[in-house]
């Protein structure tokens, strides 16, 4: 059985690795030119039943523990006026949802695959059914690959999804801006102290400002704001001039404590805009023999429940196990939909909550109830 996985993100690589553990080869077609072609983003907290479960099936628990930071679960939550609403301090042996840098996680998975398992620079442009569940996959370079099972692990803008459903991600009514503080401890001690070992969040006035320590000495700062898909063009912020953009972004936080907006001053390098989009909550499709989707390709959601990577990795591992056991892909899809739907709903609800007036107090109460207090 020839398996092609479109996309070598966390979902696709987990699937390839767990297949390999069970002696099954897969071809991974990845659009990036190489592992270092693109900045991979910041830190991710992997849950016991999500990413950690998948890494156990991948035989990579020891490698994960070497890169994970339990202390990264520390957090402080403020309102937009500067009142501290909640502080959590993690024990060094708290393995509930430790943080790990996304590049380190991706490397862990890549290093566990044989050389040549990932075809770099292989952007999938689409696929056509050949009958009996077989598909011919087209690559941007003009090459084609035929396979018995095609796995769409190519993220929110999947080129495989149209084989199964006409659903497309819709703009979620909010956008994010990502900035990076480099060499935080030495060059920006005040920002470093505010963020501590984990994360800082301030919420209110229908916007958020958050900052999270990464394992590489950087702190990633995120601003989340309500706005339409064209917000980057209409906001008046000159994103093509990062130094002016940082200053202009501070106007959106007028009246917030100077200590908080100083986080923006401490950043350097590009100011990246992230449009928040999501697939319909509870998306399902009629099963089609020989093709399926995992991760964001199947259930893209906003990051407000912190589950996208966890679900993608669990999907990848579950699909691999289903195939290794000779099981039915339909059953895998049923379980994936059931797993993802509550999180997709929570992500949509949390987006409204986090970007509401007085969000700080509401989110403090949410965290308290989640902690059983
Ligand atoms: C700001 C932000 C913060 C987040 N924080 C968290 C968090 O804390 N915890 C969490 O669990 N999740 C988080 N997420 C969500 C998480 O990043 C995604 O859900 C997760 O990366 C999905 O994994 P994936 O493998 O399905 O897709 P992706 O990570 O998008 O990987 C898809 C891969 O496919 C490749 N690709 C795309 N198109 C093609 C093509 N046509 N041909 C070949 N290859 C292609 C891409 O290059 C990429 O390597 C966050 C997301 C954002 C935007």
């Amino acid at each position: 059985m020839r398996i092609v996985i479109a996309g070598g993100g966390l979902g696709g690589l987990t699937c390839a690795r767990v297949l390999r553990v069970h002696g099954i080869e897969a071809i991974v077609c990845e659009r990036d030119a190489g592992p270092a072609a693109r900045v991979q983003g910041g830190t991710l907290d992997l849950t016991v039943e999500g990413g950690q479960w998948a890494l156990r099936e991948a035989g990579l628990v020891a490698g994960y523990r070497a890169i994970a930071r339990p202390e990264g679960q520390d957090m402080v939550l403020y309102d937009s006026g500067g009142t501290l609403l909640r502080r959590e301090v993690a024990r060094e042996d708290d393995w509930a949802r430790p943080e790990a840098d996304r590049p380190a996680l991706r490397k862990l998975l890549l290093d566990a695959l044989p050389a040549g398992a990932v075809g770099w620079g292989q952007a999938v442009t689409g696929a056509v059914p050949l009958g009996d569940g077989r598909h011919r996959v087209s690559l941007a370079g003009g090459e084609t690959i035929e396979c018995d099972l095609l796995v769409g692990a190519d993220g929110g803008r999947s080129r495989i999804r149209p084989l199964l459903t006409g659903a497309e991600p819709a703009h979620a009514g909010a956008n994010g801006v990502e900035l990076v503080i480099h060499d935080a401890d030495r060059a920006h001690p005040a920002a470093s102290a505010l963020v501590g070992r984990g994360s800082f969040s301030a919420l209110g006035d229908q916007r958020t400002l958050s900052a999270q320590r990464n394992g590489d000495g950087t702190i990633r700062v995120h601003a989340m704001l309500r706005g339409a898909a064209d917000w980057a063009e209409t906001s008046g912020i000159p994103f093509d001039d990062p130094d002016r953009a940082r200053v202009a972004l501070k106007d959106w936080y007028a009246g917030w404590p100077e200590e908080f907006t100083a986080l923006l001053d401490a950043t350097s390098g590009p100011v990246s805009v992230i449009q928040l989009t999501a697939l319909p909550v509870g998306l399902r499709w009629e099963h089609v023999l020989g093709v399926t989707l995992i991760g964001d390709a199947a259930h893209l959601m906003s990051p407000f429940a912190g589950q996208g990577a966890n679900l993608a990795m669990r999907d990848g591992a579950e699909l691999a196990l289903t195939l290794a056991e000779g099981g039915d892909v339909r059953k895998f899809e049923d379980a994936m939909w059931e797993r993802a739907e509550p999180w997709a709903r929570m992500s949509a609800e949390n987006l409204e909550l986090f970007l509401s007036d007085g969000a700080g107090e509401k989110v403090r109460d949410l965290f308290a109830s989640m902690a059983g207090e």
Side-chain angles (χ1 to χ4, degrees), residues 76-91:
V76 283
L77 172 68
Y78 291 87
D79 67 15
S80 55
T83 303
L84 177 64
L85 300 172
R86 186 174 177 86
R87 179 189 296 278
E88 290 178 10
V89 179
R91 289 190 328 267

Side-chain angles (χ1 to χ4, degrees), residues 55 92 110 115 125 167 175 179 194 213 230 254 266 273 284 290 348 355 371:
L55 288 171
E92 304 261 335
L110 281 170
T125 54
N175 301 284
L179 311 95
L194 183 63
R213 184 173 293 277
D230 64 355
V273 177
R284 285 162 168 72
L355 296 177

Side-chain angles (χ1 to χ4, degrees), residues 5-13 29-32 38 40 42-47 97 99 102 106 119-126 138-139 152-160 176 178 212 222 224 274-276 294-313 315:
I5 301 173
L10 293 177
L13 293 178
C29 298
E30 167 54 48
R31 183 182 56 188
D32 289 350
R38 181 167 58 86
Q40 287 293 316
T43 174
L44 295 169
D45 54 325
L46 297 191
T47 60
R97 38 192 315 162
E99 295 286 337
R102 187 192 288 259
R106 203 184 191 209
W120 297 104
Q122 294 192 337
V124 171
T125 54
S138 305
L139 303 180
D154 50 342
R157 294 190 193 155
S158 173
R159 297 299 189 104
I160 308 304
E178 185 176 82
Q212 204 168 15
H222 289 106
M224 298 279 184
I274 306 163
Q275 282 194 351
L276 298 185
I294 61 173
D296 281 3
H299 43 66
L300 176 70
M301 58 191 76
S302 81
F304 282 93
Q307 287 290 330
N310 281 289
L311 289 167
M313 293 175 74
D315 292 351

